[in-house]
Amino acid sequence: MPPNTLFSTPARLTAPAAVKLPRQILVLTGLIYILAGLFFRDPWKTDDVVSLATMLTAINDGSLKAWLLPQVGHLAYAEAGPFTTWIGALSISLLAPVFTLFTSELNAAIIASRMPNLLWFGLLCVGLWRASYWLGRRPEAQPVRLPFGGEPSITDYGRMIADATLLLTLATVGIIWRMHETSEVPALIGFQAIVIYSLVRMFQRPGSGAALLGLTLGVCFLTRGIVGASPILLASVLSIAFVQPLQKHAKWLALSLAIATAIVMAWWIPAQRIGPYWTQQWLLWNLQSVAWVGFAALLNSLRDLAWFLWPTWPLTLLAIWQWRAWVRAPHLLLPLIFLGSSFSSLLFIQGSFEPEYSLLVLPCALLGAFALPTLRRGIVNALDWFAIMCFSLTAATVWLGWIAQQTGWPSKIAHNIARQTQGYDTFISIPAILIALVGTAAWILLVRWRLSVRPAGLLRGTVLSAGGLITTWLLLVTLWMPSLDYVRSYRSVSADLAQALRTHQQAGECLRAEGVGSGQRASFLVFEQINLSFDRRCSLVLQQVSLRDLQRQQVAPLAANADILWQGKREADRHEAFLLIRLPKPH
């Protein structure tokens, strides 16, 4: 680390630029972010509805096996881990009876299953804000002392870094949908934030920090298994080995690992006894997921990450470059280790996609926040203008598409939307329009504030980015949620299948699946309690086929003289269809 750190860092900042962002604005921004789109919609395939199905199976089955080992009806869902199933099932058990006073039993369960998302988001906000605050207060991170004074205080600077980190996280495009789904991903992001905070806490309080670290690492393992926990565990070990304030506390790592191991074994030992098949499949899924993916797959991931991590990744690269001489400083090295560990996992996890990409968001946001005080005023202003133009355009696009759907103008856009939502009857929801108008007005006021007041605060760009993304998201989940539900929900086709079964299923006759995906299987279970069997002796078969093959009459018959009792699909779906078939009785 260069000498005279306090006088030679690349950060240059005046006290007015580190002005405090009102806490009410930060809290309100977070609440709008997590509440918009969380409720009043159907679960969508795959992860969203599968996780809900495991929760409902645990409640309806009631057995210890169904609680310890996630299942989708008769299907052993041996992926990820049981922790989010436990928390979601408990939430449904406790809160769904209250929600049934206002809505149907199914909708009450759906709402209750998403209440834990508030907890995961809270962990994310608290853990990330506290970690970045204390990293921002470290002497190595402080801005250059000005010749005549006027630089921000240590507290103000740390608070500005923490606010910027949180706002950059909220402005990241890739996780906004994932944070609203019922799956292990939002929980894992929240736990990663707590792990980072635990390590920062160990700087001064190694005992409590190590205990919190061990607890969180154990829960990470129960949330997404080896695939999800390995990058976080590796980053934790490397941080203790190489981050200077943690090296002297390395002995506390034994406590962390002991606590984590005890938590995992408390689940694994009874799980292995109760469901050896499930645990074998779970271990197999984890081990098969780990393998060298090759550079072609890495290039695909880099292409996806360009939009997934927008707009934080350019700031991340700037931070690494601007602080390159301080690479061993804790405020840079700690997030760099988490970034490197999560990125390296993309090389060794088969089929890496959004769940794996999500672990890159927090370290990118943390590094990006430290880039802000190193930027020149012209660059900061350019970023402000880019955020204004970009998100004004996305908000206008959402409105234009909605107008085209409702009025038929512009005709080309209306035609494309109608093709994607074939069979959908448009309608206008007055409450949704009012919320969308309020959100649009808030964005216009935010832009006007930036252009007319010209605030000196360095956070203005991150406020604009977060506010713009949240505005676009709010417009999507108000104006477009009915259409999205129509296109992506399996509620209607599940009802059609249930009606066909009431008509054709005979007493004692079971139904098995043929080629039905886990998301579709979970949807039929959630919406109509249709539990598909694996028994080959079942004479009723639900077969999932390609719609193109069905239209061309190229679907291979399951048996000669089999009767097709029903066929159906989602109205807007152009790819898949379902056949209910009765097989002839064997002679």
Side-chain angles (χ1 to χ4, degrees):
M1 189 182 304
N4 301 322
T5 301
L6 288 175
F7 299 91
S8 57
T9 68
R12 286 165 173 77
L13 202 66
T14 62
V19 64
K20 180 180 179 180
L21 183 69
R23 300 299 91 180
Q24 299 92 326
I25 293 179
L26 197 62
V27 172
L28 181 61
T29 301
L31 287 176
I32 296 174
Y33 178 94
I34 191 59
L35 290 177
L38 187 60
F39 307 114
F40 310 112
R41 64 170 179 83
D42 282 346
W44 299 339
K45 72 167 190 178
T46 299
D47 293 344
D48 197 24
V49 72
V50 166
S51 294
L52 174 58
T54 63
M55 299 170 191
L56 295 177
T57 300
I59 294 172
N60 296 331
D61 187 285
S63 66
L64 181 60
K65 180 179 179 180
W67 277 86
L68 279 180
L69 312 174
Q71 298 176 202
V72 178
H74 297 308
L75 172 68
Y77 186 67
E79 298 178 16
F83 189 76
T84 51
T85 296
W86 297 344
I87 302 301
L90 286 174
S91 178
I92 294 173
S93 299
L94 294 174
L95 300 178
V98 178
F99 296 139
T100 53
L101 300 175
F102 310 99
T103 185
S104 68
E105 185 176 346
L106 173 58
N107 289 337
I110 293 174
I111 294 171
S113 71
R114 294 182 185 146
M115 295 302 290
N117 287 58
L118 302 177
L119 172 61
W120 312 140
F121 183 69
L123 292 177
L124 163 63
C125 293
V126 173
L128 185 63
W129 196 95
R130 298 298 296 176
S132 51
Y133 173 73
W134 288 108
L135 287 174
R137 287 175 58 95
R138 290 196 59 82
E140 307 92 340
Q142 297 305 304
V144 170
R145 291 180 179 174
L146 302 177
F148 301 102
E151 67 276 359
S153 67
I154 293 176
T155 299
D156 290 345
Y157 184 73
R159 184 176 55 237
M160 187 213 72
I161 292 294
D163 291 349
T165 303
L166 186 56
L167 288 171
L168 284 173
T169 302
L170 300 186
T172 303
V173 172
I175 64 168
I176 191 164
W177 160 247
R178 286 288 183 174
M179 289 303 300
H180 294 81
E181 70 177 6
T182 309
S183 76
E184 72 278 2
V185 175
L188 193 63
I189 299 174
F191 295 143
Q192 185 192 34
I194 298 299
V195 166
I196 296 173
Y197 168 66
S198 302
L199 292 167
V200 174
R201 185 178 178 85
M202 286 180 67
F203 290 176
Q204 302 297 331
R205 299 179 180 178
S208 60
L212 182 59
L213 176 63
L215 173 65
T216 312
L217 287 176
V219 174
C220 283
F221 193 90
L222 295 183
T223 300
R224 193 168 163 75
I226 298 171
V227 172
S230 293
I232 299 176
L233 174 61
L234 177 62
S236 301
V237 174
L238 292 177
S239 297
I240 292 176
F242 293 104
V243 177
Q244 190 272 330
L246 291 174
Q247 291 175 337
K248 59 184 177 181
H249 302 309
K251 63 182 180 181
W252 288 99
L253 180 60
L255 174 63
S256 300
L257 295 179
I259 294 174
T261 303
I263 292 173
V264 173
M265 288 297 103
W267 165 71
W268 179 258
I269 292 174
Q272 200 171 24
R273 292 177 180 175
I274 293 175
Y277 171 79
W278 192 98
T279 52
Q280 289 171 7
Q281 294 301 309
W282 179 87
L283 190 59
L284 183 64
W285 177 81
N286 278 272
L287 295 179
Q288 288 182 340
S289 297
V290 180
W292 174 255
V293 301
F295 288 108
L298 179 62
L299 290 176
N300 290 334
S301 295
L302 290 175
R303 178 199 61 199
D304 295 338
L305 288 172
W307 69 265
F308 190 89
L309 295 176
W310 186 264
T312 57
W313 68 264
L315 292 174
T316 301
L317 296 179
L318 281 172
I320 295 172
W321 173 253
Q322 298 280 43
W323 290 90
R324 61 192 181 279
W326 284 262
V327 70
R328 292 187 60 83
H331 71 283
L332 196 72
L333 185 56
L334 184 65
L336 265 178
I337 288 174
F338 274 85
L339 180 63
S341 176
S342 299
F343 185 80
S344 64
S345 70
L346 303 183
L347 288 170
F348 299 99
I349 297 180
Q350 295 285 338
S352 296
F353 196 49
E354 292 181 0
E356 288 70 40
Y357 299 166
S358 297
L359 293 182
L360 294 164
V361 171
L362 301 191
C364 278
L366 187 48
L367 287 168
F370 282 106
L372 295 177
T374 71
L375 302 179
R376 296 180 179 179
R377 180 177 298 179
I379 297 177
V380 174
N381 290 334
L383 292 175
D384 292 357
W385 278 105
F386 182 81
I388 290 173
M389 291 186 295
C390 177
F391 290 111
S392 295
L393 179 62
T394 58
T397 301
V398 175
W399 272 110
L400 180 62
W402 181 80
I403 291 171
Q405 185 187 46
Q406 300 295 329
T407 65
W409 179 89
S411 59
K412 187 173 182 179
I413 297 177
H415 173 73
N416 290 332
I417 293 174
R419 188 167 57 90
Q420 299 288 338
T421 59
Q422 183 180 359
Y424 176 69
D425 293 327
T426 60
F427 68 96
I428 294 178
S429 171
I430 299 300
I433 293 178
L434 291 177
I435 295 173
L437 288 172
V438 170
T440 305
W443 171 246
I444 294 172
L445 291 175
L446 183 61
V447 172
R448 182 177 181 275
W449 164 78
R450 169 62 183 88
L451 300 180
S452 60
V453 178
R454 296 181 181 179
L458 194 61
L459 287 176
R460 63 183 185 270
T462 56
V463 170
L464 286 167
S465 295
L469 181 62
I470 292 172
T471 299
T472 304
W473 174 251
L474 182 65
L475 295 180
L476 284 172
V477 299
T478 51
L479 300 177
W480 283 97
M481 188 56 72
S483 299
L484 292 173
D485 256 353
Y486 177 79
V487 171
R488 303 194 64 179
S489 172
Y490 281 76
R491 187 186 288 259
S492 61
V493 71
S494 298
D496 292 342
L497 175 59
Q499 179 60 43
L501 288 174
R502 285 191 290 269
T503 303
H504 298 288
Q505 191 172 23
Q506 300 172 0
E509 192 174 28
C510 63
L511 174 68
R512 69 176 175 88
E514 183 69 32
V516 180
S518 59
Q520 291 83 351
R521 180 189 291 268
S523 296
F524 295 138
L525 179 67
V526 166
F527 290 117
E528 294 293 340
Q529 296 79 51
I530 301 172
N531 198 349
L532 300 175
S533 174
F534 289 95
D535 193 340
R536 306 297 296 184
R537 296 171 296 180
C538 293
S539 56
L540 274 184
V541 180
L542 179 67
Q543 184 181 15
Q544 181 176 332
V545 298
S546 165
L547 182 59
R548 178 179 297 179
D549 291 344
L550 183 63
Q551 292 170 342
R552 294 178 179 178
Q553 298 181 345
Q554 294 177 347
V555 176
L558 294 178
N561 302 321
D563 293 329
I564 299 178
L565 307 176
W566 168 86
Q567 69 178 50
K569 70 180 190 70
R570 291 179 297 163
E571 287 293 332
D573 200 309
R574 296 179 292 167
H575 302 288
E576 66 184 27
F578 301 94
L579 302 177
L580 180 62
I581 301 170
R582 173 171 283 120
L583 300 179
K585 294 182 180 180
H587 296 292

